[in-house]
Amino acid sequence: MEDGHMSEVRLADQDLAALVEDWLDWDEAAEQLGVTPAKVRTMVREHQLAAAVPGQPGPGVKQGIPALFLVDGEPVKGLPGLLTLMHDNGYDDRECIAWIFLDADLPGRPIDALRENRGAEVKRRAQALAF
């Protein structure tokens, strides 16, 4: 990674458990959002949130949602638009989560910028991924 490019490790191969400290299961996310776990699944399907298995998939290992994706009982402002943009460009949830939590070209990680209401700058970076 000397040259600043992430091509050495593909987004899909990132260790999400190492990148993302806190994960919520469906029930915890539902509780924070004030909705049912089924609604959380719908929100993931509609790209308002993203979910992935943090570590190695295996028996009893369930998908989770990064805790930082939620703030004040809602998805972080700008996250749904960002996820939709990335999915439209062929990224899956796992890759989206890896990108959002990697400290690449911005000062700080995209998730931090989103939480600090600097979503426009994150979206510009995500649009650049398409090329």
Side-chain angles (χ1 to χ4, degrees):
M1 290 223 209
E2 301 77 54
D3 59 2
H5 292 293
M6 295 186 326
S7 52
E8 288 84 355
V9 179
R10 291 177 29 242
L11 285 174
D13 298 332
Q14 291 287 340
D15 178 359
L16 294 185
L19 283 176
V20 182
E21 262 177 54
D22 296 318
W23 292 83
L24 303 171
D25 65 24
W26 299 111
D27 293 336
E28 292 165 330
E31 192 176 313
Q32 284 197 25
L33 292 162
V35 298
T36 63
K39 174 65 177 163
V40 173
R41 281 191 183 77
T42 301
M43 291 174 78
V44 168
R45 201 168 46 247
E46 294 172 350
H47 310 313
Q48 294 173 45
L49 292 169
V53 175
Q56 293 303 314
V61 180
K62 295 189 172 84
Q63 279 193 321
I65 294 167
L68 289 178
F69 278 4
L70 303 181
V71 66
D72 299 332
E74 291 179 24
V76 170
K77 184 175 186 286
L79 180 67
L82 176 63
L83 290 171
T84 298
L85 174 73
M86 293 184 76
H87 278 277
D88 288 350
N89 286 317
Y91 290 85
D92 65 19
D93 271 10
R94 203 178 164 74
E95 293 165 321
C96 290
I97 292 169
W99 186 81
I100 290 168
F101 279 87
L102 274 172
D103 192 347
D105 342 297
L106 259 180
R109 306 169 302 175
I111 185 62
D112 301 320
L114 284 174
R115 291 179 66 90
E116 290 158 16
N117 218 359
R118 294 186 288 130
E121 130 189 25
V122 174
K123 214 164 187 175
R124 271 196 304 277
R125 271 182 56 207
Q127 283 164 332
L129 289 176
F131 306 108

